[in-house]
Amino acid sequence: MHVTHLSLADFRSYARVEVPLDPGVTAFVGANGQGKTNLVEAVGYLATLGSHRVSSDAPLVRMGAERAVIRAAVTQGERSQLVELELNPGRANRARINRSSQVKPRDVLGIIRTVLFAPEDLALIKGDPGERRRFLDELITARSPRMAGVRSDYERVLKQRNTLLKSAAMARRHGGRSMDMSTLDVWDQHLGRVGAELLAQRLDLIAALQPLADKAYEQVAPGGGPVVLEYRSSLGEGIEAAQSKDELYEQLISALVEVRKQEIERGVTLVGPHRDDLVLKLGRLPAKGYASHGESWSYALALRLASYDLLRTEGNEPVLVLDDVFAELDVRRRERLAELVAPGEQVLVTAAVDDDVPGVLAGVRFAVSEGAVDRV
């Protein structure tokens, strides 16, 4: 699978830009602030319905414009599709596939799949649990686009349940009448149902990712492993991939009953996938707090390489995006990463200068400057 054409209108710094793309390696080279990352960010948005740089759509719309449009032509085998997203901050986004407007933005998921390497990846190792949960959930959705709906349902149920708990907590603190909490049982069931499915998918993903991540770390930093991926659940120990969704549902419901008193006192949901973490170990020690800067980078690269290998083996090879990552790496890691990704069907690279792009990634070059994207 590869993108054959990218078109942007009022996206980030671009009033309008058209970029023809080929299979193989394409590098966008330009000084910082010239818009090269904006191009690959747009491709990533079509794949995930989100940006790796910001958490909302508003910064993606060019200043002074009401909306932004991302459009891409995608080829997989002999099949070609045109996918388009219109970003409308404060309102619902719109989507079209092959110029049909009768689709939801979520319907475009799976048409383009990407694996992104970026300086922000260091947060997977050194950041808070939310970074690692997002890594898992985005990869889950890339494997199975329908999981976007499950994630959305979980967030909706969690929000409603937290609202109820917060109201109950406020009533208790101010000496008011006790609220009727019978509806909490209903929300428990909803949370347990969608939470169990999300949890089952995460556990299955980690089981599939573990050997690939260990292999990738050995490729990037020979002799430095092993790496171990452990899922730390708010349900406690004993959670494993072999459990069925029904078993996980029962455990979630039981845990919610057990902590209900504390939840009502604190006004927040205390158990569920939203409070879990992926513990990354290097040997017997957690990478966070113990791994050196170089080891942390190697670990982050290993996770992305493992993601790429997993998606590729499951069909529909993803587009590899390397956003200004080579400047962050030492020479040894830079060359190893380049050699590993060079055979990809489509690799999109951004760099400040030509020298940052390893020779093995020779391919098409675009110069990016002041909103212009010109093939060199």
Side-chain angles (χ1 to χ4, degrees):
M1 184 206 76
H2 61 277
V3 179
T4 59
H5 194 92
L6 177 67
S7 175
L8 304 179
D10 291 324
F11 182 84
R12 288 285 196 181
S13 58
Y14 294 102
R16 184 86 183 182
V17 68
E18 305 287 338
V19 185
L21 295 168
D22 298 323
V25 178
T26 297
F28 300 101
V29 181
N32 293 334
Q34 298 303 303
K36 57 187 184 297
T37 291
N38 299 345
L39 300 169
V40 295
E41 181 183 28
V43 175
Y45 194 101
L46 290 174
T48 65
L49 300 184
S51 164
H52 69 287
R53 304 160 74 192
V54 293
S55 59
S56 68
D57 288 348
L60 306 179
V61 179
R62 190 172 64 91
M63 187 173 295
E66 294 184 359
R67 63 184 64 84
V69 175
I70 309 170
R71 185 184 299 113
V74 185
T75 295
Q76 181 182 358
E78 297 182 356
R79 184 185 183 192
S80 296
Q81 294 189 81
L82 183 67
V83 56
E84 177 182 309
L85 284 175
E86 181 181 284
L87 311 186
N88 299 293
R91 305 190 306 274
N93 292 341
R94 301 171 63 185
R96 297 203 300 173
I97 300 173
N98 295 330
R99 304 197 182 280
S100 170
S101 59
Q102 303 302 312
V103 299
K104 300 176 182 178
R106 196 183 299 166
D107 294 333
V108 310
L109 292 171
I111 295 177
I112 300 175
R113 297 202 296 181
T114 61
V115 171
L116 171 75
F117 297 77
E120 290 84 356
D121 284 347
L122 209 56
L124 290 175
I125 315 303
K126 298 186 175 184
D128 61 38
E131 298 287 347
R132 292 178 287 279
R133 289 195 297 266
R134 185 173 73 167
F135 164 74
L136 291 175
D137 292 345
E138 286 184 352
L139 188 50
I140 284 169
T141 305
R143 297 179 80 192
S144 177
R146 74 171 187 84
M147 287 302 298
V150 175
R151 291 168 59 191
S152 178
D153 288 346
Y154 185 83
E155 290 168 3
R156 176 182 57 82
V157 172
L158 180 64
K159 182 178 181 180
Q160 293 286 349
R161 192 174 186 277
N162 280 341
T163 297
L164 180 60
L165 289 169
K166 185 176 181 181
S167 297
M170 292 290 289
R172 285 172 60 96
R173 290 170 190 158
H174 292 88
R177 285 173 36 184
S178 297
M179 293 182 59
D180 179 9
M181 301 302 289
S182 61
T183 55
L184 191 58
D185 292 331
V186 177
W187 288 116
D188 284 359
Q189 293 170 22
H190 288 316
L191 191 78
R193 177 178 55 80
V194 291
E197 185 162 11
L198 181 57
L199 182 53
Q201 289 287 333
R202 285 182 181 176
L203 293 171
D204 179 71
L205 172 61
I206 292 168
L209 211 56
Q210 170 66 72
L212 299 174
D214 194 37
K215 173 188 171 185
Y217 192 90
E218 178 64 22
Q219 291 173 317
V220 174
V227 302
V228 179
L229 313 182
E230 288 185 1
Y231 193 77
R232 181 171 294 167
S233 173
S234 55
L235 303 182
E237 297 180 358
I239 301 298
E240 55 186 34
Q243 292 177 272
S244 68
K245 283 189 290 186
D246 288 342
E247 290 172 325
L248 293 170
Y249 169 82
E250 293 298 333
Q251 286 182 267
L252 265 169
I253 294 298
S254 177
L256 289 169
V257 171
E258 186 175 337
V259 300
R260 176 171 288 193
K261 182 179 179 180
Q262 297 104 293
E263 288 187 330
I264 293 174
E265 289 174 351
R266 296 174 58 178
V268 68
T269 301
L270 296 176
V271 295
H274 65 290
R275 296 184 70 91
D276 296 352
D277 194 6
L278 172 63
V279 179
L280 305 172
K281 291 186 175 180
L282 195 55
R284 286 186 282 182
L285 295 174
K288 184 176 181 179
Y290 289 91
S292 68
H293 185 72
E295 288 172 332
S296 296
W297 258 117
S298 295
Y299 212 134
L301 293 174
L303 291 175
R304 294 303 187 187
L305 287 169
S307 303
Y308 170 67
D309 285 342
L310 180 63
L311 294 177
R312 183 174 55 177
T313 57
E314 294 178 346
N316 192 5
E317 181 174 334
V319 176
L320 282 164
V321 179
L322 291 82
D323 180 24
D324 207 22
V325 71
F326 289 114
E328 302 287 335
L329 303 177
D330 58 40
V331 173
R332 180 173 62 88
R333 289 183 177 85
R334 181 185 300 190
E335 294 301 326
R336 284 189 178 276
L337 176 60
E339 290 171 0
L340 290 169
V341 304
E345 181 176 349
Q346 186 169 51
V347 183
L348 305 179
V349 182
T350 71
V353 294
D354 277 318
D355 289 345
D356 283 346
V357 183
V360 72
L361 294 180
V364 176
R365 291 286 193 277
F366 284 92
V368 182
S369 179
E370 298 182 352
V373 182
D374 299 309
R375 187 162 179 164
V376 179

